[in-house]
Amino acid sequence: MLDANLKTQLKAYLEKVTQPIEIVASLDDGAKSREMQELLQEIAQLSDRIQLVEQRDAANARTPSFKLNRPGTDVSIEFAAIPMGHEFTSLVLALLQVGGHPIKLDDKVIEQIKNLDGDYSFETYVSLTCQNCPEVVQALNVMSIINPRIRSVTIDGALFQGEVEQRQIMAVPTVYMNGEVFGQGRTGVEEILAKLDTGAAARKGEELSAKEPYDVLIVGGGPAGAAAAIYAARKGIRTGVVAERFGGQVLDTLAIENFISVKETEGPQFATALEQHVKAYDVDIMNVQRAEQLVAGDKLVEVKLANGGVLKGKTVILSTGARWREVNVPGEREYRNHGVAYCPHCDGPLFKGKRVSVIGGGNSGVEAAIDLAGIVSHVTLLEFAAELKADAVLVKKLKSLPNVTIVTSAQTTEITGDGKKVNGISYKERDSGEIRHVELEGVFVQIGLVPNTEWLKGTVALSKHGEIEIDARGQTSIPGVFAAGDVTTVPYKQIVIAVGAGATAALSAFDHLIRSSVEDEAPAAKEAVAA
């Protein structure tokens, strides 16, 4: 199951294991059990510290599944999945951590996890094609190792479709805690802790408010923010980055094939590389913090946070990026994560054999339709314009697929449901005005981006589309406040352009600091001469 190269790499990793690992597998006679058995046997053969125990347990509700145990302790991690694809890294990390390899978390975070008062049983539903799922899986796994009162099981929704149907899970990752929905979407350790430790937010707010003003304070941790941080730090000035999630929208991107010098990578890997590059410099990264207000003063600019904290900067760079645009029709928000989805790579496998629609005929929409066509029974693509806007090569591929219907000049009017989940979509034929309805089980929205600027209204000047207006230097309408990336009026929303814009904004901020210091020194010099 594992090729020779992968076995060699895994064997090298397993040499770091210092504690014995017991793999307890619950199997039956099915094909998936045989596949899991093959994988686990190959892993066990790579280290003499690993013992595989196979059991035929009809009482186990999830078969096939397996647990990674540290004998003689309460340390245990469970997979009701064959963790290949994006989850293979989760498996490798789980093996290392159960095997005693040091956990790479801040000491304060580890202590906070240890001190959680309660018993928590987490069930995380994933798909193996979901690039957002591994973060929450790895976060809960590591938390369960640090605190034995935390239990974590990863469940492949495609493998346990009956369970997914019963719980009406239509988006991944979906996390249950003690039998109740805990959260959906990409989530890290700090975000989970903030929900479990209710006093953590206030404590963090006080901690952040006590920080000294930054020379450059960057709001947003995507490609633009990361580039700005690197360029600012290289100037030797005090630099801070506050971000709701470091990596930004890149974390939701599957394939990146147009970043110059990097032939091909995936969004989460690119985001990790960005963070590692920033951490190579003296940059204060404050992650999982949402900015809520910008207040410009005479000398300092304040950024007020959702947790009550206030950060200050002599200059500020706004790089809060963008998010998926909504259709804004009845039913969209009501059925979000219950049939309405925005990530075909993540949630597509949950709609296997079902009927879905894709709204949007640009590159993202057409690519989504092509990918989904290989999973679902039928795809209906709706495009508002008279023609698809995607690249010709993608349109040609889409039109060659037998289970795809393309409808142009179609205005989506409603997403319908039965009160629990989506059951159809309605659209108006723009040529005739006639309303059509298509029965289906899922709707994937792919109609572009909207800038994250709601919190800035009434402060910096915004365009009619809500983007921050900037000049060639990244300067906004407020002196000392700069902006970069998809949140701005830059015409093309591309990673490589955002990186360049971040560098430009940082250099402009540095130039502003120099000029401001000269202006501040001039009156003092005149007073000295007069004296």
Side-chain angles (χ1 to χ4, degrees), residues 85-200:
H86 287 289
E87 292 300 342
F88 186 69
T89 300
S90 300
L91 172 60
V92 174
L93 285 173
L95 286 164
L96 291 175
Q97 291 160 354
V98 171
H101 192 65
I103 292 169
K104 294 182 179 180
L105 284 178
D106 184 84
D107 289 342
K108 290 183 179 179
V109 174
I110 292 176
E111 194 63 26
Q112 188 179 354
I113 296 170
K114 287 181 179 178
N115 293 334
L116 286 173
D117 185 18
D119 295 301
Y120 306 102
S121 177
F122 288 99
E123 301 165 290
T124 305
Y125 290 87
V126 304
S127 69
L128 302 184
T129 58
C130 170
Q131 72 270 24
N132 293 322
C133 294
E135 182 173 356
V136 65
V137 168
Q138 293 164 23
L140 289 170
N141 284 351
V142 76
M143 290 176 70
S144 71
I145 290 173
I146 295 169
N147 185 336
R149 297 180 70 180
I150 299 172
R151 289 289 183 225
S152 174
V153 54
T154 300
I155 306 158
D156 178 8
L159 191 57
F160 293 92
Q161 284 189 313
E163 195 169 329
V164 166
E165 291 284 349
Q166 182 182 2
R167 282 182 157 173
Q168 296 189 348
I169 295 168
M170 305 186 79
V172 290
T174 292
V175 181
Y176 278 72
M177 184 187 76
N178 298 340
E180 301 291 334
V181 175
F182 178 77
Q184 292 176 313
R186 192 181 187 96
T187 311
V189 170
E190 293 180 59
E191 293 165 290
I192 296 169
L193 275 175
K195 295 180 73 171
L196 297 179
D197 186 353
T198 54

Side-chain angles (χ1 to χ4, degrees), residues 361-418:
N363 281 349
S364 296
V366 171
E367 286 175 349
I370 291 169
D371 290 342
L372 289 167
I375 302 171
V376 304
S377 64
H378 190 271
V379 179
T380 301
L381 185 142
L382 303 179
E383 165 55 35
F384 183 84
E387 295 181 356
L388 299 182
K389 297 172 288 185
D391 294 342
V393 64
L394 294 174
V395 174
K396 182 178 180 181
K397 172 64 176 177
L398 182 69
K399 290 181 176 179
S400 72
L401 301 175
N403 61 335
V404 174
T405 298
I406 301 170
V407 183
T408 56
S409 296
Q411 180 182 351
T412 302
T413 57
E414 184 180 8
I415 297 170
T416 61
D418 61 6

Side-chain angles (χ1 to χ4, degrees), residues 272-284:
T272 298
L274 287 176
E275 187 170 7
Q276 290 174 343
H277 196 172
V278 173
K279 286 181 175 179
Y281 294 93
D282 186 15
V283 176
D284 187 5

Side-chain angles (χ1 to χ4, degrees), residues 403-475:
N403 61 335
V404 174
T405 298
I406 301 170
V407 183
T408 56
S409 296
Q411 180 182 351
T412 302
T413 57
E414 184 180 8
I415 297 170
T416 61
D418 61 6
K420 294 182 179 180
K421 57 185 179 180
V422 166
N423 63 17
I425 190 169
S426 297
Y427 66 90
K428 180 173 72 174
E429 292 182 346
R430 296 177 59 221
D431 296 334
S432 67
E434 188 173 346
I435 299 295
R436 301 282 189 181
H437 183 76
V438 180
E439 293 184 357
L440 43 72
E441 289 76 39
V443 176
F444 289 82
V445 181
Q446 301 280 290
I447 56 172
L449 304 171
V450 59
N452 295 316
T453 55
E454 288 82 0
W455 67 288
L456 294 169
K457 290 179 179 178
T459 54
V460 297
L462 303 177
S463 72
K464 64 179 181 180
H465 300 296
E467 300 164 322
I468 302 172
E469 295 182 346
I470 58 171
D471 64 14
R473 300 173 66 252
Q475 174 69 60

Side-chain angles (χ1 to χ4, degrees), residues 310-392:
V310 180
L311 296 170
K312 304 176 183 67
K314 296 176 183 177
T315 63
V316 167
I317 297 174
L318 304 172
S319 57
T320 46
R323 63 187 183 277
W324 289 116
R325 185 180 298 278
E326 296 180 352
V327 190
N328 290 321
V329 297
E332 180 180 18
R333 294 195 176 183
E334 293 88 335
Y335 293 107
R336 185 166 187 165
N337 295 326
H338 294 282
V340 176
Y342 299 83
C343 180
H345 303 294
C346 301
D347 301 330
L350 299 178
F351 294 85
K352 183 178 180 180
K354 298 181 179 180
R355 300 161 299 177
V356 304
S357 174
V358 173
I359 303 175
N363 281 349
S364 296
V366 171
E367 286 175 349
I370 291 169
D371 290 342
L372 289 167
I375 302 171
V376 304
S377 64
H378 190 271
V379 179
T380 301
L381 185 142
L382 303 179
E383 165 55 35
F384 183 84
E387 295 181 356
L388 299 182
K389 297 172 288 185
D391 294 342

Side-chain angles (χ1 to χ4, degrees), residues 449 467 485-495 497:
L449 304 171
E467 300 164 322
D486 288 359
V487 76
T488 72
T489 49
V490 64
Y492 303 110
K493 314 303 184 185
Q494 298 290 318
I495 296 172
I497 292 174

